[in-house]
Amino acid sequence: MIDHARDLVSVREATDRLLTAAAKLDNASVAEPSRLPGWSRGHVLAHIARNADALVNVLQGRPMYVSATARDADIDRDAPRPLDDQLTDVRESGNRFQEAGAVPADWARTVELRNGVTDAAARVPFRRWVEVELHHVDLGIGYELEDLPAEFVEREIDFLADRFSGHADVPPTRLTDGTHAWSTGREADAPEVTVRGAAPDLLGWLAGRRDGAGLTSEGGALPSLPPL
């Protein structure tokens, strides 16, 4: 059972880590490229802030974004801002998300996200946690996949493995870090491929942050994953 209140605490802690780390930047470094193609660090910070407001919309029953075009335009608009403005926006939008999450509600209800995706309201705090943690890594300022909380890594691997489950272009695949195991890809009685590696490497590959060079594949080549 998802503990949304506990996840909200994890979101707050992750946001504090990001803000502490990003406060060591300066205006010039905010304008430098992030690890996401075509995005500066300012784009990443702007996206983190706008995503918080978008998830407030979700919790309050409004469309997550007015449109995909408006989402992208808001990020492009906010990306060039100086560091202090970026940090204030991330902090204040994060507080708005926490306030929305503290309102008594039916957390078992179904909510709608982007592109018609639906989920239980109780999972929204975890989705926000994912945004904060992975985009902290995307900033390229010394926070790596190996620095992520172990609970987060395990849960996000589970989430992404489930996301690719049943996908026609992904062979039946078993993933393991030597302690835990997950299944993904097309349904089958047995996996065609077993992918082994450290949990951060598995997460990086599933999330499109690493090319899988740190993983080994048995029974076939490392599967190609569709974009998230």
Side-chain angles (χ1 to χ4, degrees), residues 86-97:
Q86 298 278 13
L87 297 180
T88 297
D89 194 13
V90 170
R91 183 180 301 106
E92 292 181 350
S93 60
N95 288 340
R96 289 191 291 271
F97 178 75

Side-chain angles (χ1 to χ4, degrees), residues 4-227:
H4 71 275
R6 186 166 179 266
D7 284 347
L8 283 167
V9 173
S10 296
V11 171
R12 184 173 63 247
E13 292 171 349
T15 303
D16 288 345
R17 284 193 297 272
L18 184 151
L19 287 167
T20 298
K24 299 174 184 177
L25 300 173
D26 55 28
N27 290 337
S29 55
V30 168
E32 292 174 350
S34 73
R35 290 175 171 173
L36 294 178
W39 271 16
S40 68
R41 292 191 178 108
H43 282 89
V44 175
L45 291 169
H47 168 61
I48 292 169
R50 300 287 68 77
N51 171 264
D53 287 334
L55 290 176
V56 169
N57 288 337
V58 169
L59 290 176
Q60 296 180 348
R62 296 186 295 273
M64 186 169 180
Y65 295 101
V66 174
S67 67
T69 300
R71 169 190 176 273
D72 294 344
D74 286 348
I75 294 170
D76 286 339
R77 177 199 66 206
D78 294 341
R81 296 175 301 177
L83 175 64
D84 285 350
D85 290 352
Q86 298 278 13
L87 297 180
T88 297
D89 194 13
V90 170
R91 183 180 301 106
E92 292 181 350
S93 60
N95 288 340
R96 289 191 291 271
F97 178 75
Q98 291 288 333
E99 290 166 3
V103 174
D106 174 14
W107 287 94
R109 74 190 187 280
T110 298
V111 295
E112 184 171 345
L113 296 106
R114 293 182 66 197
N115 303 320
V117 173
T118 60
D119 204 349
R123 199 188 295 271
V124 171
F126 178 71
R127 286 179 175 270
R128 176 59 182 171
W129 191 10
V130 172
E131 293 288 328
V132 176
E133 292 285 20
L134 291 186
H135 287 314
H136 189 170
V137 174
D138 293 334
L139 287 171
I141 56 176
Y143 191 69
E144 304 296 341
L145 295 172
E146 286 76 12
D147 298 315
L148 295 169
E151 178 197 350
F152 171 82
V153 172
E154 182 179 344
R155 288 178 62 186
E156 179 63 354
I157 292 173
D158 186 71
F159 180 81
L160 292 173
D162 183 67
R163 185 165 180 170
F164 292 122
S165 290
H167 200 291
D169 295 330
V170 180
T173 303
R174 179 177 184 267
L175 312 171
T176 181
D177 64 356
T179 301
H180 306 94
W182 301 265
S183 296
T184 195
R186 294 189 301 272
E187 293 184 8
D189 293 335
E192 293 178 9
V193 180
T194 296
V195 176
R196 302 179 186 275
D201 283 323
L202 288 170
L203 172 56
W205 173 62
L206 290 167
R209 265 67 179 185
R210 290 184 180 171
D211 62 8
L215 304 173
T216 61
S217 180
E218 303 168 7
L222 186 71
S224 296
L225 299 176

